[in-house]
Amino acid sequence: INTRAGLDLKALIRTIPDYPKPGVLFRDVTTLLANPAGLRASIDELIWPFLGAPLDHVAGIEARGFILGGAVAHELGRGFVPIRKKGKLPYATIGQDYELEYGVDTVEIHADAIGPGDKVLLVDDLVATGGTADAAIDLIRKSGGEVVAACFVIDLPDLGGAERLRRKGVTVHTLLAFE
Ligand code: PRP
Ligand code: ADE
């Protein structure tokens, strides 16, 4: 998939077989982030649907969603709200459990980060099962916010995450798909 800048973003993603466990093809976004033209084109492609859209905050999911979300927030002229793994945020938090392949994990947001009716754009590097983003959306909604859209560089459509988020009524914007 070539960007308007004529760059093949997909070619900049490195694939690591059998990481973190046998059978997984890990789509490594660090090679894209390290490429200056790749990083710029990724941010440009993530933000274009939201240029001029009413938006109060950009929220990013730890850890790779912080890198992309910070740049998206800067480009859109909005502040950045971190959604973190449990126990990392210093002030009062709201939490949401979500299912991993084995067991559960929790994401948290500062209780005062999003006000009632605030419009939020959610950013992460990749959507697989959608479990992480689903929990992040629940956090934003529990905070009283409205999720304008969720955007990701990579979609793994076979795992159904983007569809899962659309079924929750969220607009999903992705740049690349891998099997
Ligand atoms: C990866 C990725 C997403 C999530 C997607 O993060 O950055 O946040 O998995 O998977 P899902 O759609 O099935 O929920 P990971 O859990 O590896 O955490 P990290 O970014 O802190 O390494
Ligand atoms: N998160 C969940 N599945 C992944 C994959 N295949 N590559 C990178 N990150 C992931």
Side-chain angles (χ1 to χ4, degrees):
I1 295 164
N2 288 287
T3 62
R4 268 153 281 216
L7 195 68
D8 184 359
L9 291 184
K10 200 167 181 177
L12 293 173
I13 306 290
R14 174 166 58 189
T15 296
I16 317 285
D18 301 320
Y19 180 89
K21 53 184 194 181
V24 176
L25 289 174
F26 190 85
R27 308 302 183 176
D28 176 15
V29 80
T30 67
T31 43
L32 172 67
L33 298 174
N35 182 286
L39 177 59
R40 181 172 295 282
S42 299
I43 301 305
D44 289 348
E45 294 293 327
L46 284 173
I47 69 173
W48 73 259
F50 312 107
L51 294 169
L55 208 61
D56 296 296
H57 316 278
V58 175
I61 304 174
E62 187 175 2
R64 285 159 272 160
F66 286 1
I67 303 162
L68 294 163
V72 165
H74 177 77
E75 285 296 311
L76 291 176
R78 301 300 192 279
F80 178 78
V81 174
I83 294 177
R84 299 209 64 175
K85 307 286 161 70
K86 190 182 176 68
K88 302 281 191 178
L89 288 168
Y91 184 63
T93 58
I94 303 170
Q96 178 66 48
D97 294 340
Y98 63 103
E99 283 187 32
L100 297 168
E101 207 160 346
Y102 302 103
V104 297
D105 207 346
T106 307
V107 282
E108 294 180 335
I109 193 169
H110 271 146
D112 63 349
I114 291 168
D118 286 357
K119 296 182 188 301
V120 183
L121 176 64
L122 181 66
V123 181
D124 202 356
D125 66 322
L126 177 146
V127 58
T129 67
T132 310
D134 193 320
I137 289 161
D138 287 347
L139 277 184
I140 292 164
R141 288 177 172 171
K142 277 192 209 174
S143 303
E146 178 198 332
V147 181
V148 168
C151 60
F152 308 88
V153 172
I154 301 170
D155 180 22
L156 306 183
D158 296 350
L159 295 178
E163 263 317 300
R164 172 178 174 173
L165 304 182
R166 290 187 178 109
R167 280 199 304 276
K168 282 175 80 81
V170 172
T171 297
V172 179
H173 172 53
T174 66
L175 307 188
L176 309 171
F178 283 92
E179 79 286 356

